[in-house]
């Protein structure tokens, strides 16, 4: 069975074609600058090389159409006919309270998904464009939606409710939803497979640390709390997002800077976080280099960044009555050894005994805690696309 996975953003389309017989990636790539001048697609070839192809893509339908043509291209294609594709799995960002699992996309499901647009006005419309583009090009091809928020729908009410007037939850759905759910679900399952243990009876903290970051508490394979909220702004300090901030500080700044709602959103989502503290970069590699050269603001950004991850781990260990496994994943989590060491430092009281030598790993599955550590700390590279492809295959079967 061949499954095409699509992740449509406002101006981008990431894709991967899987052969689910052996779960191998046949080809992958991404379209960028959709709807803008200078649009192009980067394709990863079978030998690992990458090829950049310029192509005008005024909207998503043309982008999907061009990606389909590349799949069957005589030179770089991997299939002879589009009919070899059995289904398309889509990353869908916000399913609200409507979806707690992946679903086959039909008219009723898409109407329900559209009703969630208010909760993710930047992401959900882009997701719909991808679905509609496939429907236009291949109307009979089955499509499946895999929701970022679905994994977190198992949270108890005490964890997802905000302490605001209850009618605002009933009327507008204002509550914690959480994101990166497909990643948290994948790594919380995969780490148990890797360690040869059952998720039942295990208390796991999954740390998805990238330019956007979130942490989840998982008990018996189900999420019981997560750091992101109504939107992906809440929680950890991120590349350009503030993370947790006093609501009073927001109204104070809105008045001082004469900002409307869009202005406040831009300030907290695009100008804050690591970028806001350093004033120079949101890339942790740049920040580490600057700190090593004595840049005090870069060092402050690192200290703040690490501290907040450590603080959430402690909070979730308390919420679960302890922790058995901690997982680091995503771009920073998989590759930045200094972050993992800083977060795990002085955590012996929690049962973490860290191993600096084992921590010298990048992008590979590994145990980085000592052999006699009560808490097993692991690096597990995430694979959201494989999770989407697997869900799609299982639903079709």
């Amino acid at each position: 069975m061949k499954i095409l996975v699509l992740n449509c953003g406002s101006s981008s389309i990431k894709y991967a074609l899987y052969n689910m017989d052996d779960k191998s990636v046949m080809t992958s790539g991404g379209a960028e600058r959709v709807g803008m001048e200078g649009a192009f697609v980067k394709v990863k070839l079978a030998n690992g090389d990458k090829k950049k192809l310029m192509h005008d893509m005024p909207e998503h339908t043309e982008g999907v159409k061009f990606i389909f043509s590349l799949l069957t291209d005589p030179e770089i294609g991997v299939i002879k006919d589009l009919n070899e594709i059995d289904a398309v799995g889509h990353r869908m960002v916000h399913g609200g309270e409507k979806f707690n699992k992946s679903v086959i996309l039909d008219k009723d499901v898409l109407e329900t998904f559209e009703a969630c647009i208010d909760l993710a006005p930047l992401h959900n419309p882009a997701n719909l464009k991808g679905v509609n583009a496939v429907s236009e090009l291949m109307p009979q091809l089955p499509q499946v939606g895999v929701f970022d928020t679905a994994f977190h729908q198992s949270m108890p009410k005490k964890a997802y409710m905000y302490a605001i007037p209850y009618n605002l939850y009933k009327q507008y759905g204002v509550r914690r939803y959480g994101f990166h759910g497909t990643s948290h679900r994948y790594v919380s399952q995969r780490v148990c497979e890797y360690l040869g243990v059952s998720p039942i009876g295990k208390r796991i903290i999954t740390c998805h640390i990238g330019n956007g970051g979130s942490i989840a508490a998982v008990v018996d394979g189900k999420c019981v709390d997560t750091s992101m909220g109504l939107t992906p702004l809440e929680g950890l300090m991120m590349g350009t997002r503030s993370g947790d901030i006093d609501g009073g500080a927001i109204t104070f700044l809105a008045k001082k800077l004469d900002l409307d709602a869009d202005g406040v959103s831009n300030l907290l989502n695009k100008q804050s976080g690591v970028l806001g503290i350093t004033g120079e970069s949101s890339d942790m590699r740049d920040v580490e280099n600057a700190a090593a050269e004595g840049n005090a603001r870069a060092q402050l950004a690192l200290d703040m960044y690490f501290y907040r991850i450590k603080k959430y781990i402690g909070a979730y260990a308390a919420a679960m009555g302890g922790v058995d496994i901690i997982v680091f994943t995503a771009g920073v989590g998989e590759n930045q050894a200094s972050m993992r060491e800083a977060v795990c430092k002085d955590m012996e009281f929690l049962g973490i005994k860290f191993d600096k030598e084992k921590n010298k790993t990048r992008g590979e599955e590994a145990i980085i805690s000592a052999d006699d550590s009560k808490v097993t700390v692991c690096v597990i590279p995430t694979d959201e696309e494989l999770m989407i492809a697997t869900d799609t295959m299982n639903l079709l079967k």
Side-chain angles (χ1 to χ4, degrees), residues 165-384:
Y166 191 80
N167 66 296
L168 298 178
Y169 162 65
K170 297 300 291 183
Q171 189 171 357
Y172 300 113
V174 179
R175 50 156 284 186
R176 171 173 286 106
Y177 290 99
F179 297 88
H180 299 137
T182 306
S183 175
H184 287 294
R185 178 161 63 105
Y186 174 80
V187 297
S188 62
Q189 291 177 6
R190 177 58 198 153
V191 74
C192 290
E193 294 171 0
Y194 178 65
L195 297 175
V197 299
S198 169
I200 304 302
K202 291 293 181 287
R203 299 160 298 182
I204 303 173
I205 296 175
T206 50
C207 306
H208 178 107
I209 313 297
N211 195 260
S214 64
I215 296 182
V218 182
V219 178
D220 296 333
K222 294 183 178 180
C223 178
V224 296
D225 206 346
T226 192
S227 59
M228 283 183 167
L230 174 75
T231 75
L233 178 60
E234 189 179 4
L236 301 175
M237 176 181 175
M238 299 172 237
T240 63
R241 292 176 228 166
S242 67
D244 293 337
I245 184 172
D246 177 12
I250 297 172
T251 56
F252 176 84
L253 288 171
K255 291 177 181 177
K256 289 291 185 183
L257 302 176
D258 192 25
L259 297 174
D260 59 10
D262 289 340
V264 169
S265 177
N266 186 64
L267 172 69
L268 298 179
N269 279 291
K270 297 181 179 179
Q271 300 174 29
S272 298
V274 174
L275 175 63
I277 297 299
T278 64
E280 296 180 6
S281 177
S282 63
D283 190 308
M284 294 304 288
R285 293 164 294 190
D286 295 339
V287 178
E288 274 204 307
N289 290 336
E293 294 171 359
N295 185 311
R297 283 171 61 178
Q299 187 59 56
L300 174 61
L302 291 176
D303 292 343
M304 293 172 64
Y305 191 86
F306 300 157
Y307 175 72
R308 292 195 179 190
I309 299 169
K310 182 192 290 275
K311 189 165 68 170
Y312 264 99
I313 288 174
Y316 287 164
M320 296 188 296
V323 57
D324 301 301
I325 302 168
I326 296 173
V327 184
F328 290 101
T329 193
V332 177
E334 295 167 23
N335 296 296
Q336 190 178 19
S338 61
M339 179 275 294
R340 299 190 298 257
E341 181 176 352
V343 169
C344 293
K345 184 180 179 182
D346 300 325
M347 296 276 266
E348 288 83 5
F349 74 96
L350 204 59
I352 298 171
K353 193 171 181 181
F354 197 67
D355 190 314
K356 291 185 179 182
E357 286 301 312
K358 288 184 179 180
N359 189 42
K360 294 177 181 178
T361 182
R362 289 177 59 88
E364 295 181 345
E365 294 184 335
I367 298 172
I368 58 174
S369 51
D371 293 343
D372 59 346
S373 178
K374 292 180 180 178
V375 176
T376 305
V377 185
C378 294
V379 176
I380 300 290
T382 191
D383 198 336
E384 295 168 273

